[in-house]
Amino acid sequence: MTTDDPIIEVRNAAVTYDGGETFVLDHVSASIERGEILGVVGESGSGKSMFADSLLNAVPDPGRLTGEILYHRDDGTTVDVLRLSDDELRELRWEEIAMVFQGAMSSFNPTMKIGGHFKETLKAHDAHVPSGMELARELLSDLYLDPERVLGSYPHELSGGMQQRALIALSLILEPEVLVMDEPTAALDLLMQRSILTLLEDLQEKYDLTMVFITHDLPLVAELADRMAVMYAFQLIEVADREQLIGNSGHPYTRALLNATPDIEAPLEEMRPIEGQSPAPINVPAGCSFAPRCPLATEECRTVDPAFSQLEDGHTVACHHAEDARDAIALHFERATDSIPASGGDGS
């Protein structure tokens, strides 16, 4: 799963607990293209947040992260994030790879005004505070916020949408190359989610950002992403351009996930919930982890873990029956998938 100009390459990354017995990220490999928006989608507990944490070597203790996270800088040098010293890692985070966490309120110190968070971040990285605060005002304006009001407010004095936009501005204050967003709109209403998507597109273009957008909401990320990656049971199972994954996915789980996507215009009897439940980290089945829920599962699926194979150029899938899945599992919500823009969402 390589790209032409990767800015980050993840090689065989695994996160384990209980002395290596429990996997919450199971030997994942992926490439993130410079300048793209990569959407990573999966059910709750699929491992997508661990994937996000791994990009910054920020897996919480006592988790153990192994493998390689290669970051390719603009100057042509490459570093393995997992082998950086504490000081080097501190510089990498925020300055080169920044992260926006789920739930802005929990990311802000409630006793400190928003302006104080910006100044504290600038000082911690030895940045010039006056020029940094000018950039803060510009970023807040780009996100359609009143800079003076926001900088002079405590977090609780702002609405949820304003808090989330202020957090996005804070993540960009040191002008990073990569922005990792872990469920950044999960706590917001539908209108605010769409509004933030539009703002993220504008920011990505203006500041030449690479974005990794983590979410459980497949239709939401499909409006924003250039490429999409699907996670199931702590592994990546399908990666493709947005149009290919939405309209011509090859993994039975991806197709089932699309059929389970709510559509208020479709009759209730057309809903196709995915039967069963995803495995817990201590009870991952042998072979393909989706086999217990898959209508196409064979003995090979239950015993042999499928390797990634290429369906089309840039479209890879880990499934023994990817070609069969397209014929056997029809996509029922064509109206929903047809409504997703062919290139670039308008956020409306």
Side-chain angles (χ1 to χ4, degrees):
M1 290 182 293
T2 59
T3 52
D4 293 333
D5 184 21
I7 191 168
I8 295 178
E9 291 183 89
V10 180
R11 296 181 179 176
N12 207 33
V15 176
T16 57
Y17 288 83
D18 302 326
E21 297 295 320
T22 301
F23 283 84
V24 292
L25 191 68
D26 192 355
H27 298 96
V28 167
S29 296
S31 292
I32 301 166
E33 180 83 9
R34 192 179 305 275
E36 79 168 341
I37 301 177
L38 175 68
V40 181
V41 64
E43 295 176 82
S44 295
S46 62
K48 54 190 186 297
S49 289
M50 280 297 172
F51 176 77
D53 290 343
S54 298
L55 298 179
L56 289 87
N57 193 9
V59 171
D61 290 332
R64 181 170 180 263
L65 172 59
T66 57
E68 293 180 306
I69 310 292
L70 302 180
Y71 172 60
H72 303 288
R73 292 188 168 110
D74 277 343
D75 63 6
T77 62
T78 297
V79 296
D80 185 345
V81 175
L82 305 192
R83 286 164 176 75
L84 296 178
S85 68
D86 289 344
D87 287 342
E88 290 170 330
L89 195 58
R90 184 183 67 84
E91 291 180 6
L92 177 98
R93 294 170 180 166
W94 290 86
E95 294 182 30
E96 297 185 270
I97 306 176
M99 190 165 184
V100 177
F101 295 95
Q102 181 179 169
M105 181 59 84
S106 60
S107 298
F108 287 120
N109 180 342
T111 67
M112 182 186 297
K113 291 183 177 180
I114 299 297
H117 289 83
F118 281 90
K119 291 175 182 177
E120 184 179 68
T121 302
L122 291 164
K123 291 175 182 177
H125 290 266
D126 299 321
H128 186 250
V129 175
S131 59
M133 292 307 295
E134 283 305 309
L135 176 59
R137 292 179 176 87
E138 181 179 352
L139 287 165
L140 291 169
S141 294
D142 288 339
L143 289 160
Y144 292 92
L145 295 170
D146 179 344
E148 299 311 320
R149 178 193 168 188
V150 170
L151 293 172
S153 297
Y154 288 99
H156 72 271
E157 295 178 312
L158 305 177
S159 68
M162 294 173 72
Q163 290 175 22
Q164 197 65 51
R165 284 180 283 163
L167 184 58
I168 292 170
L170 180 60
S171 71
L172 297 175
I173 192 60
L174 296 174
E175 302 182 83
E177 296 289 328
V178 182
L179 183 60
V180 181
M181 313 189 77
D182 186 10
E183 299 273 13
T185 62
L188 304 178
D189 62 65
L190 188 62
L191 184 60
M192 183 53 65
Q193 287 181 355
R194 295 304 187 268
S195 175
I196 286 182
L197 289 189
T198 301
L199 296 175
L200 288 175
E201 284 187 318
D202 294 341
L203 287 175
Q204 194 254 354
E205 183 175 351
K206 179 175 180 178
Y207 294 99
D208 196 23
L209 289 166
T210 300
M211 289 187 185
V212 182
F213 194 99
I214 311 288
T215 183
H216 66 277
D217 191 334
L218 192 153
L220 180 75
V221 73
E223 294 189 25
L224 181 71
D226 300 304
R227 287 193 307 139
M228 296 176 64
V230 180
M231 294 197 73
Y232 182 81
F234 325 111
Q235 297 177 318
L236 279 179
I237 60 167
E238 186 162 13
V239 180
D241 289 345
R242 184 254 311 274
E243 291 85 356
Q244 275 291 328
L245 192 132
I246 293 297
N248 204 20
S249 49
H251 199 286
Y253 173 70
T254 306
R255 299 182 76 83
L257 195 62
L258 286 164
N259 284 336
T261 299
D263 178 5
I264 60 175
E265 296 182 0
L268 185 61
E269 59 268 18
E270 287 189 11
M271 286 291 293
R272 297 291 190 275
I274 306 175
E275 295 184 1
Q277 55 186 328
S278 56
I282 59 173
N283 192 32
V284 177
C288 175
S289 55
F290 187 60
R293 306 172 74 184
C294 181
L296 305 182
T298 61
E299 187 60 27
E300 180 185 26
C301 301
R302 288 184 279 270
T303 56
V304 180
D305 195 10
F308 263 93
S309 60
Q310 184 163 287
L311 286 178
E312 293 90 18
D313 185 31
H315 186 171
T316 54
V317 60
C319 178
H320 295 301
H321 306 292
E323 292 289 354
D324 296 335
R326 288 172 165 174
D327 295 326
I329 305 175
L331 294 177
H332 296 287
F333 284 92
E334 294 181 0
R335 282 169 293 183
T337 57
D338 286 348
S339 69
I340 295 171
S343 61
D346 61 7
S348 59

